[in-house]
Amino acid sequence: MLVCSALAVQSGIAADSPKGPVNTGRLAATSAKANPLLAASRLPYGFPEFDKIRNEHFAPAFDIGLKQHSAEIKQIAENKASPSFENTIVALERSGRLLSRVETVFSNLTATNTNPVLEQLSVELAPKLSAHQDQITLNGKLFERIAALYQQREQLGLDAESLRLLERYYTDFVRAGAKLNAEQKEKLKSLNSQLATLGTRFSQNVLKETNASALVVDSREELKGLSDSEIQTAAATAKSRGLDGKFVIPLMNTTGQPLLATLENRQTRQRLYEASVNRGSHGGSFDNRQVAIDLAKLRAERAQLLGYPNYAAYGLQSETAKTPEAVNNMLGQLAPAAVKNARAEAAELQKLIDAQQGGFQLAAWDWAYYTEQLRKARYAFDDSLLRPYFELNNVLENGVFYAATKLYGITFKERKDLPVYHPSVRVYEISDRDGKPMALFIADMYARDSKRGGAWMNSYAEQADLFGHKPIIANHLNIPQPPAGEATLLTMDEVRTAFHEFGHALHGLFSKVRYPRFSGTNVPRDFVEYPSQVNEMWATWPEVLTNYAKHYQTGQVIPQNLLDKVSAASRFNQGFATTEYIAASLLDQRWHQISADAIPSDALAFEQQALKQMGVDFAPVPPRYRTTYFSHIFGGGYSAGYYAYLWSEVLDADTVEWFKENGGLTRKNGDWFREKLLSRGGSIDPMESFRQFRGRDPKIQPLLERRGLQ
């Protein structure tokens, strides 16, 4: 998921700012006809004019946007009038609208439909944007104005949201180095520039390496166990890469690969697993071992410069967890039980291998395959029986959208009149419970070589009363696209992911705040996953499931006996699922809880030692992500924060219990959740919004029961 930065949010100059036009604004106006990025889109909701935007438009638009924003910041900082909330804080919220618009479109396209030109521009822009951010947060005159307001904040008569905004700006500037001396600021600028460049490089390496590491298979026999459709897709992928007569299996983002569950040929499974797990660590131009080391070292140095013992201490201070100790305590409590469960599951799988006279010890590439066999034996079904009932359009419109309509009263209408950046992308207009149009939703469901892995939500426009903005929200999945004319059938995991990401979308859609800084998902990372995880519950809610889970050929509703089996198997393999996640979370913490002088020289040796020391080095269950392709923490916004999914799941599991206790899928429940939590964004303390919704602090017992960790 992508969230706009706190300081490059919107633009314009406050009414009591110094008068007079900014020269770069004239340049933007005169160039707008030639460059669609330089003027607000005339399409509904300000939807980006994807049909007009070209690669060559971005560089000049960034140049003008940066100059315009710098001029606006200078006007705010050098305003002769005494600092006021309006001429300083609100002016900052209004500033940078052009730059924000350009950066939003650019960052979203580089994630969803990139090309070599955009990739090169990303590398060039990274240090420029970092320097621009430093120009703002390290501006002494600007900070003096913010600090003066902060010191007298109780006497300003501000409403609660405005007071919180002032406090957030002060805190953000201090955490960004505003109190450092001149020499320290120059050092910080250098570190920030290097970090921006390396983070971009890491992400690009992961995408390129993932594409380059796709498994090439010579014969159909080696793919035994796959469906005809999956084999045809592999053949078509090979043909598209100039490998006629062969088969290609692209890699997904995580260590585990979906087809490991059905490939019967053990050698093919091993090759697929090793192609995945060795990404970024076997030499070549996409190797990320040294990049990860350099990123960890620079982050540690930056944290130390800002007065923190390590990067985790710095990063977690602004999260709901607050300290590394709190995170370590949670993960440390759960890890032993998770690994114990995983070892028990492994013993069951080994019995199955031995009963079949396999003659080998369970390995990581065997886990999913024999787990599916055990699932079939224990619950008399396998995931392949479910897929015919999970056709993509049904899941989206009759499942995800249906649940949202029942809960919140919103309705959906597809818009085919708006331009999109890829033919497979769909756009829907959402109307609120009163029937009035409120937002646009972009559904980008399919995987492609130009799109980064994983699943996420992002915004092209965020709700903010300050500007009267209506949201434009997008969800992105990476579902393999079948051959033309064939149905897109999802796995149960892909169905849950669709509901999960739409939970993020709801957080953005229902935002009801004044300031862009607090809109929608602009909340701590260890809280942002909470609403999305709650929305997963509706994927298997009987009323919702029977509305979308219909056979793609016959229209038959999924049989009740199959539903019962899905429910019975819900805790199956939880030892594996919890262990792989906790291992990745602990690895993230280990990389970011060390000081700059303790950074290792060998990334993989450090990883192996760390997993062993933390008691999660169980070979059949590798971390969900290994260091060299752990984009969440080295290329994205989850550095020292990957624990957030489990932290949020405590709130999620408790909330699911509340819905069940109060009647489930009802408008009354949806309206309460929307009012007390989804609409608040970051305008109040997130845990306070939880308490207002739930009536108390969260309890961990529902999570322990869900994961089988009592």
Side-chain angles (χ1 to χ4, degrees):
M1 178 184 65
L2 302 176
V3 179
C4 293
S5 78
L7 296 173
V9 193
Q10 306 291 337
S11 112
I13 299 297
D16 57 347
S17 296
K19 296 181 179 180
V22 178
N23 290 336
T24 51
R26 293 175 180 167
L27 178 58
T30 58
S31 305
K33 290 183 179 179
N35 190 332
L37 292 169
L38 294 178
S41 169
R42 291 171 292 181
L43 295 174
Y45 298 82
F47 192 82
E49 298 176 293
F50 291 116
D51 55 335
K52 297 179 181 179
I53 296 170
R54 303 288 181 265
N55 288 342
E56 60 268 22
H57 292 148
F58 284 106
F62 268 110
D63 286 343
I64 294 172
L66 286 165
K67 290 175 183 176
Q68 182 170 305
H69 195 203
S70 294
E72 292 165 351
I73 294 299
K74 183 178 180 181
Q75 285 185 325
I76 298 168
E78 298 182 2
N79 191 345
K80 300 301 183 183
S82 298
S84 70
F85 181 75
E86 286 293 326
N87 72 20
T88 303
I89 304 302
V90 174
L92 282 169
E93 283 290 275
R94 291 183 178 277
S95 70
R97 294 184 76 180
L98 172 59
L99 178 61
S100 177
R101 183 171 66 245
V102 175
E103 189 173 4
T104 296
V105 174
F106 180 77
S107 62
N108 289 334
L109 284 181
T110 55
T112 59
N113 199 31
T114 192
N115 59 60
V117 175
L118 296 185
E119 290 172 356
Q120 179 58 38
L121 184 56
S122 292
V123 174
E124 296 170 4
L125 282 171
K128 289 183 181 180
L129 293 173
S130 173
H132 179 69
Q133 189 80 347
D134 288 338
Q135 179 189 38
I136 299 170
T137 54
L138 301 181
N139 184 315
K141 291 182 179 179
L142 182 59
F143 181 63
E144 285 179 9
R145 297 179 70 86
I146 295 171
L149 292 169
Y150 179 78
Q151 295 303 323
Q152 55 178 316
R153 61 192 182 280
E154 299 297 342
Q155 288 77 49
L156 297 178
L158 300 175
D159 60 80
E161 184 178 346
S162 296
L163 177 60
R164 183 169 173 82
L165 182 68
L166 170 57
E167 292 172 341
R168 286 307 312 169
Y169 263 98
Y170 178 80
T171 300
D172 289 344
F173 269 67
V174 171
R175 284 173 53 78
K179 288 188 174 183
L180 299 179
N181 62 37
E183 181 181 351
Q184 291 171 324
K185 285 181 178 180
E186 289 305 310
K187 173 66 173 175
L188 182 63
K189 290 177 184 178
S190 175
L191 291 172
N192 288 342
S193 177
Q194 295 176 71
L195 283 166
T197 300
L198 284 172
T200 299
R201 181 179 169 190
F202 188 96
S203 295
Q204 291 187 357
N205 281 352
V206 171
L207 176 61
K208 294 173 182 177
E209 176 80 325
T210 297
N211 288 335
S213 298
L215 182 66
V216 179
V217 177
D218 294 328
S219 68
R220 189 183 181 97
E221 289 71 27
E222 294 172 89
L223 298 179
K224 187 178 180 182
L226 301 190
S227 68
D228 288 341
S229 176
E230 288 169 333
I231 293 174
Q232 290 173 20
T233 298
T237 304
K239 186 175 182 179
S240 71
R241 298 187 179 202
L243 298 171
D244 286 23
K246 295 185 183 294
F247 305 86
V248 169
I249 300 176
L251 297 183
M252 304 302 283
N253 219 32
T254 52
T255 295
Q257 299 297 312
L259 296 186
L260 289 173
T262 49
L263 283 165
E264 295 182 15
N265 187 302
R266 189 170 190 245
Q267 185 177 11
T268 305
R269 293 202 305 270
Q270 182 175 355
R271 289 180 59 214
L272 179 59
Y273 170 81
E274 290 178 346
S276 174
V277 81
N278 290 326
R279 280 175 289 166
S281 63
H282 51 77
S285 57
F286 308 143
D287 196 300
N288 264 337
R289 287 174 291 185
Q290 190 60 46
V291 182
I293 290 170
D294 293 343
L295 279 166
K297 181 173 174 55
L298 290 170
R299 285 174 179 169
E301 290 178 359
R302 185 177 185 275
Q304 185 175 344
L305 181 63
L306 292 168
Y308 297 85
N310 53 58
Y311 182 83
Y314 166 78
L316 292 171
Q317 186 185 55
S318 60
E319 306 301 315
T320 63
K322 300 301 182 186
T323 67
E325 290 73 24
V327 176
N328 292 344
N329 181 55
M330 180 192 71
L331 296 175
Q333 286 186 63
L334 299 178
V339 175
K340 180 181 179 181
N341 285 4
R343 291 185 181 278
E345 291 167 1
E348 290 293 313
L349 298 179
Q350 189 63 54
K351 289 180 182 177
L352 184 57
I353 293 171
D354 294 343
Q356 296 177 8
Q357 298 182 333
F360 56 84
Q361 289 296 306
L362 174 72
W365 52 87
D366 300 315
W367 190 288
Y369 180 71
Y370 286 98
T371 291
E372 280 308 301
Q373 290 196 30
L374 191 59
R375 193 196 310 264
K376 292 176 188 178
R378 187 169 295 175
Y379 303 104
F381 93 101
D382 63 86
D383 276 345
S384 66
L385 295 176
L386 297 175
R387 294 188 66 176
Y389 297 95
F390 295 156
E391 188 273 325
L392 174 59
N393 194 62
N394 270 340
V395 171
L396 182 63
E397 295 188 347
N398 299 321
V400 175
F401 293 172
Y402 173 79
T405 298
K406 294 289 288 186
L407 266 178
Y408 307 110
I410 59 176
T411 53
F412 301 79
K413 180 182 179 181
E414 187 165 7
R415 295 282 302 258
K416 296 186 178 182
D417 58 320
L418 297 173
V420 291
Y421 53 84
H422 190 274
S424 65
V425 172
R426 303 169 72 180
V427 182
Y428 294 84
E429 185 169 38
I430 301 176
S431 295
D432 207 347
R433 51 199 170 194
D434 60 3
K436 295 179 180 179
M438 64 175 294
L440 290 177
F441 174 70
I442 299 171
D444 182 356
M445 302 286 107
Y446 289 114
R448 50 186 172 269
D449 289 349
S450 60
K451 184 180 182 182
R452 71 175 173 88
W456 69 97
M457 164 267 194
N458 65 265
S459 304
Y460 283 91
E462 294 182 310
Q463 179 274 333
D465 288 347
L466 189 65
F467 299 115
H469 284 165
K470 292 182 179 180
I472 303 174
I473 307 294
N475 276 175
H476 307 276
L477 274 64
N478 266 281
I479 298 166
Q481 190 160 7
E486 294 196 13
T488 303
L489 304 180
L490 309 188
T491 65
M492 189 71 237
D493 282 345
E494 289 167 339
V495 171
R496 288 196 186 95
T497 300
F499 278 84
H500 176 100
E501 294 305 328
F502 197 73
H504 285 306
L506 291 169
H507 205 176
L509 292 170
F510 291 150
S511 176
K512 191 177 180 181
V513 299
R514 175 168 173 75
Y515 303 111
R517 173 66 175 81
F518 296 139
S519 183
T521 54
N522 289 319
V523 296
R525 288 171 303 185
D526 56 6
F527 191 83
V528 76
E529 296 299 333
Y530 157 49
S532 58
Q533 289 172 325
V534 170
N535 205 57
E536 291 181 38
M537 73 178 288
W538 308 117
T540 53
W541 194 261
E543 181 183 350
V544 179
L545 193 58
T546 54
N547 195 64
Y548 76 83
K550 298 179 180 179
H551 198 283
Y552 77 105
Q553 291 174 320
T554 68
Q556 178 192 7
V557 176
I558 190 168
Q560 185 61 46
N561 68 324
L562 193 53
L563 290 179
D564 293 340
K565 292 170 184 176
V566 172
S567 177
S570 62
R571 294 183 186 176
F572 182 69
N573 206 40
Q574 278 298 305
F576 173 92
T578 309
T579 299
E580 69 157 2
Y581 171 77
I582 288 179
S585 300
L586 287 167
L587 185 60
D588 170 30
Q589 291 302 314
R590 192 57 180 270
W591 272 111
H592 292 111
Q593 288 186 23
I594 51 178
S595 59
D597 57 3
I599 299 296
S601 58
D602 186 328
L604 297 188
F606 174 80
E607 176 183 292
Q608 184 177 10
Q609 181 184 30
L611 295 173
K612 183 176 182 179
Q613 290 177 344
M614 295 179 294
V616 289
D617 59 328
F618 184 37
V621 186
R624 185 170 175 80
Y625 299 97
R626 294 191 68 195
T627 296
T628 51
Y629 50 90
F630 205 162
S631 291
H632 282 76
I633 70 167
F634 286 118
Y638 280 74
S639 47
Y642 191 64
Y643 74 93
Y645 293 90
L646 194 57
W647 189 274
S648 293
E649 196 179 346
V650 173
L651 310 180
D652 155 39
D654 200 3
T655 299
V656 168
E657 291 303 306
W658 179 89
F659 272 103
K660 291 178 179 178
E661 292 165 2
N662 288 276
L665 190 74
T666 69
R667 274 292 305 280
K668 181 180 179 182
N669 287 343
D671 287 347
W672 180 257
F673 192 50
R674 173 178 177 172
E675 176 190 348
K676 296 299 181 182
L677 202 136
L678 293 177
S679 66
R680 310 303 293 273
S683 63
I684 67 171
D685 177 83
M687 292 308 297
E688 177 58 28
S689 66
F690 177 87
R691 283 187 286 270
Q692 289 185 13
F693 158 71
R694 192 68 169 99
R696 58 166 172 75
D697 287 329
K699 295 180 179 179
I700 197 173
Q701 190 60 30
L703 171 66
L704 299 179
E705 293 175 359
R706 173 190 290 183
R707 295 239 174 198
L709 299 176
Q710 298 98 320

